[in-house]
Amino acid sequence: MKALLLISSLTLIAAPALAAVSNPNITHIDAAANSMNIAKLQQLSASTQDYDQAYANYRLAISANVMGQKSLAGSALTAAQATLEALQDSQANAESLALLSSVYGMQIALDTTKGAVLGFKSAKAIASAEQLEPQNPRVALVKAIAAYNTPALFGGSMQNAKTLASTAIERFAGPCDNICWGEAEAYTWRGLAKQELGDNQGAIEDWQQALKVQADYGWAKFLLQQNQQVSAK
């Protein structure tokens, strides 16, 4: 897995799309993650439970990693993993399994020695999630991220990443009233895949679309600015 890129990209996906009506805890977690408010994320991880608690710890891990607090990032991921694995045993659903797959993926990005064990677990979790909810947009998004970051030797593919991100985008058009994050990320990941495939204009259009979904989405803004800087040279 391309650890450096995955860590930097996870850093910037901490602001999920808020256009759909999400549950209050997810909305608060998203807002705290968007401003990288570690204290608030810690408070939310302590005051929530089940999926919401795991999601808070996941976003806490991302923000802590950005701030150079590696120990906190690791402990937050461990907590998220424990919560989600408990849910997997008691009341597994597609959302918790997809998030668990992402948690495993970030753990691998932070420590590649975990790849042999957690890579298998990540793949198993996302396969189970897809079996439970074949049309879930976050399932397709997690698969797209994995396809992008996994070396071709181990089954990664930019074309698959692009196709899966497109699938996620199509699914985000459906109604959502609970767990709704991920649409802006889907456009951004598809743009990255297009860029790798040589379609720079298509990448720009996707990043612009991500900002239409969420105007303050920092990762898309960063990529557009970076592209402008490269073009100006």
Side-chain angles (χ1 to χ4, degrees):
M1 186 172 283
K2 302 173 184 173
L4 181 60
L5 176 59
L6 181 58
I7 292 171
S8 62
S9 59
L10 284 171
T11 289
L12 291 158
I13 67 171
L18 301 178
V21 178
S22 193
N23 79 44
N25 286 335
I26 297 295
T27 300
H28 293 320
I29 293 165
D30 291 344
N34 193 31
S35 59
M36 283 194 264
N37 188 334
I38 287 179
K40 182 63 175 178
L41 288 168
Q42 287 177 308
Q43 184 266 316
L44 287 164
S45 69
S47 63
T48 53
Q49 58 185 343
D50 297 333
Y51 179 93
D52 296 355
Q53 184 178 56
Y55 185 64
N57 273 311
Y58 176 62
R59 294 303 185 188
L60 171 60
I62 293 169
S63 296
N65 183 60
V66 177
M67 304 299 288
Q69 299 183 35
K70 305 296 183 183
S71 178
L72 178 57
S75 62
L77 286 172
T78 298
Q81 177 183 343
T83 300
L84 292 165
E85 286 179 344
L87 287 175
Q88 184 179 13
D89 293 336
S90 64
Q91 47 179 304
N93 60 51
E95 295 291 358
S96 62
L97 287 165
L99 184 59
L100 179 59
S101 182
S102 288
V103 167
Y104 288 144
M106 188 175 178
Q107 287 176 309
I108 295 168
L110 293 173
D111 182 358
T112 55
T113 64
K114 296 181 178 180
V117 174
L118 295 187
F120 171 77
K121 288 187 174 183
S122 179
K124 183 179 179 181
I126 199 63
S128 297
E130 187 169 37
Q131 191 170 34
L132 288 170
E133 284 188 32
Q135 299 304 310
N136 186 295
R138 276 159 298 283
V139 169
L141 175 58
V142 170
K143 290 179 67 177
I145 295 170
Y148 185 97
N149 286 291
T150 302
L153 181 64
F154 299 105
S157 164
M158 291 300 157
Q159 185 59 52
N160 284 346
K162 174 185 170 183
T163 300
L164 287 163
S166 295
T167 298
I169 289 166
E170 291 171 3
R171 294 177 183 173
F172 276 115
C176 178
D177 60 3
N178 186 23
I179 297 169
C180 304
W181 61 268
E183 186 174 5
E185 289 97 316
Y187 279 107
T188 307
W189 280 107
R190 189 173 72 173
L192 283 169
K194 287 181 178 180
Q195 185 181 55
E196 290 291 331
L197 292 167
D199 182 9
N200 197 56
Q201 182 57 39
I204 291 170
E205 290 171 359
D206 271 347
W207 299 334
Q208 290 172 335
Q209 185 60 40
L211 292 177
K212 290 181 181 179
V213 172
Q214 184 179 342
D216 63 348
Y217 189 54
W219 189 19
K221 286 184 179 180
F222 169 78
L223 290 168
L224 286 168
Q225 290 169 356
Q226 186 181 59
N227 184 77
Q228 290 174 349
Q229 292 170 358
V230 171
S231 300
K233 291 182 179 178

